[in-house]
Amino acid sequence: GSKLVSTNYINQKKAERVFGLSQEEMDKFAAYMAYESPESQMFELKGEPLNFRYGHICEPIARRYYEKKYGETVRECGFIRLDEIIGCSPDGLLNGKDGGVEFKNFVSLSQHYTASLMQTTADLKSSFEEYYWQVVTCLYVTGMEYWDFVAFNCNPALSPEHAMSCLVVYAADVQKDIYALKERCDTYRDFLTK
């Protein structure tokens, strides 16, 4: 009993110090973790998938930690339209830079670990294809030069150096896929307007 309380207390203090968590954020995270299990991302709680809930809780924490770790300022921007049909919803644009950022707050430590090992854009595409296309879509819609794909896990038991990793995806390196996406969007747009 007391050892668990002591460990939880230490982890809470570490989370407050390392990630800048407020008490309200710690309470949300603790409530989430009470439901966390290896299978938790497959189930829903009150109609919301747990991995979405975890992402919503951790995204502001990830943003602050990213800004602190990389010296960037992230500007939240909402939905960005390319036209009346096509758009994207990035997690943020980098102030004063020609880039943006996508945060993925993995519930699964194994997924987080896989993301932290990625070294190339090809690694992202093969490990998390849906997220790869999300980044490519953001590059296409915004016309930015690069996009940071950031994997984060705000589990206070992780050390700060293992909590976050960042893979930079350059538009120049994915031009073939940006062009393929543009062609698909053009076909879809033509279909809708005929």
Side-chain angles (χ1 to χ4, degrees):
S2 64
K3 184 176 182 184
L4 179 62
V5 171
S6 175
T7 302
N8 286 342
Y9 178 78
I10 291 168
N11 283 341
Q12 178 179 348
K13 291 300 174 192
K14 180 179 175 184
E16 289 171 0
R17 184 184 78 252
V18 173
F19 303 123
L21 297 177
S22 68
Q23 185 60 50
E24 180 183 355
E25 288 167 328
M26 277 304 300
D27 291 344
K28 285 180 184 177
F29 182 70
Y32 168 79
M33 292 305 285
Y35 295 101
E36 213 278 328
S37 71
E39 301 81 24
S40 67
Q41 61 189 9
M42 304 303 294
F43 298 98
E44 293 187 0
L45 178 67
K46 297 181 183 176
E48 183 179 32
L50 286 177
N51 55 341
F52 291 155
R53 167 174 266 169
Y54 181 79
H56 290 143
I57 292 168
C58 289
E59 189 172 310
I61 301 163
R63 186 174 16 266
R64 283 197 311 268
Y65 190 63
Y66 170 86
E67 289 178 331
K68 178 180 173 184
K69 183 173 182 176
Y70 296 103
E72 299 285 2
T73 302
V74 177
R75 180 172 45 95
E76 294 180 68
C77 56
F79 191 77
I80 299 174
R81 291 183 176 276
L82 179 66
D83 57 32
E84 67 282 350
I85 298 170
I86 309 297
C88 66
S89 182
D91 288 336
L93 300 177
L94 302 178
N95 276 349
K97 305 281 177 80
D98 197 12
V101 63
E102 181 62 36
F103 296 105
K104 291 301 169 197
N105 303 290
F106 292 105
V107 174
S108 161
L109 286 177
S110 65
Q111 285 182 317
H112 178 72
Y113 179 70
T114 299
S116 72
L117 295 177
M118 294 185 308
Q119 298 291 315
T120 67
T121 302
D123 293 340
L124 174 60
K125 189 174 185 179
S126 66
S127 298
F128 302 102
E129 187 174 13
E130 66 277 19
Y131 301 147
Y132 169 81
W133 284 104
Q134 185 178 12
V135 168
V136 168
T137 301
C138 288
L139 288 166
Y140 167 57
V141 169
T142 64
M144 296 285 184
E145 289 183 17
Y146 70 95
W147 214 263
D148 286 351
F149 177 83
V150 178
F152 184 67
N153 189 298
C154 61
N155 185 330
L158 286 175
S159 64
E161 63 270 13
H162 294 114
M164 178 174 282
S165 63
C166 179
L167 176 71
V168 182
V169 178
Y170 293 96
D173 295 339
V174 296
Q175 276 304 315
K176 181 180 171 187
D177 285 336
I178 290 174
Y179 183 75
L181 177 63
K182 180 187 180 310
E183 285 186 330
R184 287 186 207 139
C185 290
D186 290 345
T187 301
Y188 181 66
R189 195 180 294 106
D190 290 346
F191 171 77
L192 289 178
T193 57
K194 288 184 180 181

